[in-house]
């Protein structure tokens, strides 16, 4: 079978559509529980794009026929992955099913595709991947199998032959396997754009990405709203809230819709979407004139619009108290107070949490609702149950941007 290059009957989307897919993937990752085996999830960033997400590790028992059935009903325009790897045989079965369906594969850095997942990705009739989104290493055998030395050598040879044959079938340079074998199974090597081109891991360059099956009907690409002022990049931050500087707040159907609202507003230069607030239950999309104060929040997905000439988006590191992970209700931290008096301006748990975040000396806090008192702590010396209190602990956090080029 020949490698799936750009098909005349396929279509592509601009990098602005990669922004839409990336937002949808980030929102999915923030809300999804850890998977024990491959499951199939649906993403619909816009009316013309239907992405099937293979999520979780590949297990030998996984049936690729489920993918065929799902494709028949969902009619995806592309397949992407959120998988750490798993069983090689299962990944190859899924890859062949993807190729039989004529579907393209897309991989953004929002989610992972490493180890055996790479083989499933190679099944795409067209293949697009951002640099650093595909990870490779040596294969390994479960310690429970208990292979002797001869059996292990034979098994490695058999797996190697299977993988080489599959790569040739998919039009991929088998030299990719040689690169993989140089990386210890306990480590991961993420491929650069040049390496993906060299080994034919990708068939589509970084300017455009496939979104329609090579065998399907041509679908016209839908242009995203074009912002004024020369905005050509968007930096996305998962788990980071941009506080303040609001120019508007809306109820948006999803993170993609929130991004569209910002891109269509000439005054908007940043946005935060709350993935936990359901549409119609209050504002969940906050449009901003600038970034504002930074706050770690596992429910937040934020974007920063960058103009031509702006520096590369920053990685932010600071002490955060994530309200979705690091708050303890009806728990008091006695002792360790930074001051003999409570914080005068902090009259709510939210204000108290931010007061601690903004004070480099503060490692924790306790807010007493009955007295509306906020006590900042140099550390947690003890804890005890106490009704009506809210306490939090600061942790060092780092927020790395995913930059989407709109040019």
């Amino acid at each position: 079978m020949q490698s799936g290059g750009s098909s005349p009957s396929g279509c592509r989307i601009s990098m602005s559509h990669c922004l839409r897919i990336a937002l949808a993937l980030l929102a999915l990752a923030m809300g999804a529980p850890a998977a024990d085996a491959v499951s199939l999830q649906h993403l619909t960033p816009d009316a013309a794009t239907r992405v099937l997400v293979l999520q979780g590790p590949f297990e030998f028992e996984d049936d690729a026929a489920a993918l065929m059935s799902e494709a028949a009903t969902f009619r995806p325009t592309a397949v992407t992955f959120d998988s750490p790897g798993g069983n090689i045989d299962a990944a190859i079965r899924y890859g062949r099913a993807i190729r039989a369906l004529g579907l393209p594969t897309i991989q953004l850095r929002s989610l992972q595709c490493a180890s055996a997942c790479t083989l499933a990705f190679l099944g795409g009739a067209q293949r697009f991947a951002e640099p650093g989104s595909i990870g490779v290493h040596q294969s390994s055998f479960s310690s429970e199998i208990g292979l002797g030395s001869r059996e292990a050598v034979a098994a490695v040879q058999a797996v190697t032959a299977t993988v080489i044959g599959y790569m040739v079938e998919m039009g991929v340079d088998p030299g990719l396997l040689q690169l993989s074998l140089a990386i210890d199974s306990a480590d991961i090597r993420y491929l650069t754009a040049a390496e993906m081109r060299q080994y034919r891991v990708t068939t589509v360059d970084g300017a455009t990405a496939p979104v329609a099956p090579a065998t399907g009907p041509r679908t016209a690409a839908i242009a995203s709203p074009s912002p004024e002022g020369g905005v050509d990049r968007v930096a996305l931050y998962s788990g980071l809230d941009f506080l303040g500087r609001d120019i508007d707040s809306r109820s948006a159907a999803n993170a993609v819709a929130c991004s569209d609202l910002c891109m269509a507003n000439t005054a908007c230069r940043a946005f935060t979407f709350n993935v936990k607030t359901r549409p119609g239950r209050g504002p969940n999309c906050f449009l901003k004139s600038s970034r504002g104060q930074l706050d770690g929040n596992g429910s937040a997905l934020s974007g920063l619009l960058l103009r031509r000439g702006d520096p590369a988006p920053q990685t932010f590191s600071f002490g955060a108290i994530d309200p979705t992970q690091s708050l303890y209700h009806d728990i008091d931290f006695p002792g360790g107070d930074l001051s003999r008096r409570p914080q005068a301006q902090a009259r709510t748990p939210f204000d108290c949490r931010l007061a601690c975040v903004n004070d480099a000396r503060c490692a924790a806090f306790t807010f007493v609702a009955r007295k509306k008192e906020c006590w900042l702590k140099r550390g947690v010396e003890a804890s005890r149950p106490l009704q009506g209190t809210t306490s939090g602990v600061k942790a060092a956090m780092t927020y790395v941007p995913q930059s989407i080029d709109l040019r």
Side-chain angles (χ1 to χ4, degrees), residues 227-233 269 305-310 407:
E228 299 291 336
V231 174
D232 62 2
R233 290 165 293 153
R269 287 293 174 260
L305 277 60
L306 300 173
R307 296 187 178 103
R308 291 194 263 305
D310 284 347
R407 292 170 290 184

Side-chain angles (χ1 to χ4, degrees), residues 344-358:
Q345 303 302 318
R347 308 290 288 174
T348 68
F350 176 82
D351 293 337
C352 191
R353 181 175 67 85
L354 288 188
C356 184
V357 168
N358 293 329

Side-chain angles (χ1 to χ4, degrees), residues 176-215:
L176 176 64
L177 179 59
Q178 184 176 1
L179 174 64
S180 303
L181 293 175
I183 310 301
D184 189 83
S185 60
D187 201 357
I188 292 285
R189 164 71 177 278
Y190 286 93
L191 302 179
T192 66
E195 288 170 333
M196 288 191 284
R197 287 193 299 269
Q198 176 185 348
Y199 296 111
R200 300 194 294 276
V201 172
T202 52
T203 63
V204 179
D205 63 27
T208 53
V211 288
T215 57

Side-chain angles (χ1 to χ4, degrees), residues 53 59 74 154 271 292 298 342 366 374 377 386 394-395:
V53 185
E59 302 289 350
F74 181 53
F271 66 88
T366 291
C374 171
K377 315 281 182 176
L386 184 62
K394 185 185 287 186

Side-chain angles (χ1 to χ4, degrees), residues 383-397:
S383 65
R384 64 184 180 184
L386 184 62
Q387 189 172 4
T389 59
T390 300
S391 297
V393 179
K394 185 185 287 186
M397 299 295 292

